[in-house]
């Protein structure tokens, strides 16, 4: 079904924010020079339960379980530099690395059977 959540121009992210085994909605939007994230734990009546700033307004938002703890957390791609956070409460870049070319599209998925999320690019 259709679920209203967010504003025109927001970018969707999806993840299991509360480790209940279900992916739910999240979104990001530019706010001044920063990127604001809103995360919800319901796909039926979404209400932003997580609301925080992370990164620059022009960064590409991504989500995944970077540390294999069962919780999806936020990440960003800026050019060919990636910033991955292991928390949606105390949001800092726990991992920063370069991968791909600046114009590549960001991809995430579980490709190595390690039960965590990996990054990839499409060109």
């Amino acid at each position: 079904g259709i679920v209203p959540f967010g504003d025109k121009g927001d970018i969707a992210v999806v993840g299991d924010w509360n480790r209940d085994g279900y992916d739910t909605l999240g979104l990001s939007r530019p706010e001044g020079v920063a990127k604001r994230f809103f995360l919800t734990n319901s796909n039926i009546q979404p209400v932003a339960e997580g609301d925080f700033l992370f990164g620059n307004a022009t960064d590409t938002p991504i989500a995944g379980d970077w540390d294999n703890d069962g919780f999806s957390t936020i990440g960003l791609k800026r050019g060919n530099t990636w910033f991955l956070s292991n928390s949606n409460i105390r949001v800092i870049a726990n991992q920063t690395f370069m991968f791909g070319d600046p114009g590549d599209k960001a991809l995430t998925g579980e490709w190595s059977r390690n039960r965590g999320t990996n990054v990839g690019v499409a060109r």
Side-chain angles (χ1 to χ4, degrees):
I2 297 173
V3 178
F5 183 58
D7 295 332
K8 183 178 180 179
D10 290 344
I11 299 172
V13 291
V14 177
D16 184 356
W17 315 120
N18 63 355
R19 197 177 174 188
D20 67 356
Y22 297 98
D23 286 343
T24 52
L25 298 170
L27 58 87
S28 71
R29 75 172 55 125
E31 185 169 300
V33 297
K35 181 77 74 179
R36 180 168 293 280
F37 287 86
F38 302 90
L39 307 178
T40 181
N41 290 320
S42 173
N43 289 326
I44 298 169
Q45 294 181 332
V47 174
E49 295 161 16
D51 175 356
F52 53 87
L53 295 172
F54 182 54
N56 296 337
T58 56
D59 293 340
T60 300
I62 56 173
D65 183 1
W66 316 121
D67 60 355
N68 197 19
D69 67 354
F71 291 94
S72 296
T73 51
I74 292 303
L76 301 167
K77 180 181 177 288
R78 179 183 307 150
N80 69 337
T81 304
W82 300 72
F83 303 87
L84 308 180
S85 178
N86 292 334
S87 173
N88 292 324
I89 297 170
R90 185 173 173 264
V91 185
I92 60 168
N94 297 99
Q95 300 175 56
T96 303
F97 56 92
M98 297 175 83
F99 178 70
D101 292 333
D104 292 342
K105 302 292 183 196
L107 301 173
T108 62
E110 183 186 336
W111 299 302
S112 62
R113 296 182 186 245
N114 67 358
R115 302 191 64 165
T117 307
N118 304 105
V119 301
V121 297
R123 149 169 337 137

